[in-house]
Amino acid sequence: MKALITGITGQDGSYLAEFLLDKGYEVLGMVRRSSTESFERINHIKDRLTLVQADLLDQLSIIRLIEENHPDEVYNLASQSFVPTSWAQPVLTGEFNALGVTKMLEAIRLVDSSIKFYQASSSEMFGRVAEVPQTEKTPFYPRSPYGVAKVYGHWITVNYRESYGIPACSGILFNHESPRRGLEFVTRKITNGVARIKSGLSDKLALGNLDAKRDWGFAGDYVRAMWLMLQCDPMEDLVIATGRTHSVKDFVRAAFARVDLDYKNYVVTDPKYVRPAEVDLLLGDASRAANVLGWKPSVSFEELVHIMVDADMERLSSERPT
């Protein structure tokens, strides 16, 4: 089996590549031509991957990529993935997260409509939630340009499945984290901040809304769900979540407690980190995924926080001059 992963240099892409390689796949990773390429997350497996150049903004490059490599499965994980940036760059976010999905699906339709396609949808599509918990039937009410673009990407995937018979599905993934999460994301900002404070490199951690609640899981668990979804016949869109919600304050408290510190002595709130329109509560019901895929998360919230704090502590320790 041959799989193409867009966004392979990101958190999810790197975990998915590892997972597929372990299953004996030939793994292709789509990367953009850049003068400052970063392969930090996949350096340890780079010699087992085939990296191919194309761009979600360039339809012809995607068609050529599909024609020349003819993958059995395509996992579309590439996007403008940071919600706050979508407010500063709403048009670019739409081009990547909405039209980029269409271009990939169109390339599959033109070249070989039997290629399996996975689209990375997001719990941010629920936004101002209509019900708690959120299921596959919960209406979308996105609260950011990122969420709006993801809704488009989700529905265009449904349309190509129903209109052209392409075996395509979307995973509505709730927040999933790991030590490979970018430093701009709040969870990694917290664990990196905790490590820096514990190491004497900082004395404060500035955050935004501590009351926002999220359903946090481990990225390594969630990429397994992606693969399982593409093995289903017929395909369907599924919520992937832990079924537990915690506030940002809960995450902060657990992270500081991991290094025996009280967060109240170090955390300050800064209005500049508060979103123009907040998503207050996300809580997913993944019972359908449990029934259809046999999937369930293996890493608890507390274990996830500990894994991330420990990794940042170890990283800072190794970076110190001896």
Side-chain angles (χ1 to χ4, degrees):
M1 293 289 287
K2 183 189 294 186
L4 169 66
I5 302 173
T6 74
I8 195 168
T9 59
Q11 170 189 257
D12 290 8
S14 65
Y15 279 109
L16 179 60
E18 287 176 345
F19 178 85
L20 294 177
L21 287 170
D22 287 345
K23 286 200 166 291
Y25 275 66
E26 177 184 350
V27 178
L28 309 175
M30 190 182 97
V31 294
R32 301 172 66 199
R33 178 74 180 91
S34 172
S35 59
T36 56
E37 294 172 330
S38 175
F39 301 115
E40 178 184 355
R41 296 183 181 94
I42 58 171
N43 273 336
H44 63 295
I45 55 171
K46 194 175 176 185
D47 60 343
R48 301 169 62 195
L49 305 171
T50 300
L51 299 181
V52 288
Q53 287 190 356
D55 195 314
L56 281 182
L57 301 184
D58 183 356
Q59 178 74 80
L60 288 177
S61 72
I62 299 171
I63 293 173
R64 188 177 302 114
L65 174 62
I66 299 295
E67 283 179 335
E68 292 177 355
N69 296 280
H70 216 288
D72 299 290
E73 299 173 353
V74 173
Y75 296 85
N76 187 43
L77 310 185
S79 71
Q80 192 297 99
S81 61
F82 191 44
V83 175
T85 296
S86 75
W87 291 104
Q89 300 180 347
V91 175
L92 184 66
T93 299
E95 289 175 343
F96 275 119
N97 298 9
L99 296 182
V101 185
T102 313
K103 290 171 183 174
M104 186 61 72
L105 284 164
E106 187 67 1
I108 290 172
R109 182 185 73 84
L110 291 170
V111 177
D112 181 356
S113 60
S114 71
I115 295 172
K116 296 180 179 181
F117 178 80
Y118 172 87
Q119 166 60 15
S121 286
S122 167
S123 58
E124 287 284 333
M125 300 188 303
F126 294 120
R128 180 184 287 174
V129 299
E131 61 183 2
V132 179
Q134 294 87 55
T135 72
E136 291 80 6
K137 298 183 182 300
T138 302
F140 299 139
Y141 193 145
R143 297 273 281 168
S144 66
Y146 172 88
V148 172
K150 280 292 186 179
V151 169
Y152 178 103
H154 181 88
W155 281 116
I156 199 67
T157 301
V158 173
N159 271 255
Y160 271 70
R161 179 175 69 222
E162 296 180 349
S163 301
Y164 301 117
I166 293 173
C169 61
S170 294
I172 307 173
L173 271 56
F174 280 64
N175 295 66
H176 46 287
E177 317 296 323
S178 77
R180 300 180 192 174
R181 189 52 123 169
L183 286 168
E184 69 273 20
F185 289 85
V186 68
T187 51
R188 185 71 196 292
K189 183 179 180 182
I190 292 168
T191 60
N192 179 64
V194 166
R196 288 182 58 81
I197 288 170
K198 184 65 175 180
S199 302
L201 299 173
S202 299
D203 57 6
K204 295 294 178 185
L205 175 60
L207 297 170
N209 181 12
L210 298 183
D211 296 321
K213 293 183 177 180
R214 296 291 184 268
D215 184 328
W216 276 300
F218 173 56
D221 284 337
Y222 286 47
V223 299
R224 176 165 45 89
M226 298 176 188
W227 176 79
L228 287 169
M229 288 180 67
L230 285 199
Q231 313 317 307
C232 288
D233 185 19
M235 290 191 182
E236 59 180 290
D237 310 315
L238 294 170
V239 164
I240 305 299
T242 70
R244 296 178 64 198
T245 189
H246 296 86
S247 67
V248 175
K249 186 180 292 183
D250 292 336
F251 199 108
V252 168
R253 183 185 294 111
F256 275 93
R258 181 62 173 172
V259 294
D260 299 316
L261 294 177
D262 184 343
Y263 78 95
K264 295 176 184 176
N265 297 325
Y266 305 98
V267 173
V268 296
T269 56
D270 190 330
K272 75 178 181 181
Y273 295 121
V274 177
R275 298 181 185 183
E278 183 60 84
V279 175
D280 297 314
L281 170 63
L282 293 175
L283 173 62
D285 178 355
S287 56
R288 179 70 182 164
N291 293 333
V292 174
L293 309 178
W295 179 90
K296 62 179 181 179
S298 67
V299 177
S300 71
F301 172 76
E302 293 76 13
E303 290 170 332
L304 173 64
V305 176
H306 293 174
I307 289 169
M308 293 179 66
V309 171
D310 292 351
D312 275 323
M313 287 294 297
E314 183 178 348
R315 178 182 56 82
L316 285 181
S317 176
S318 66
E319 290 176 356
R320 283 182 173 179
T322 56

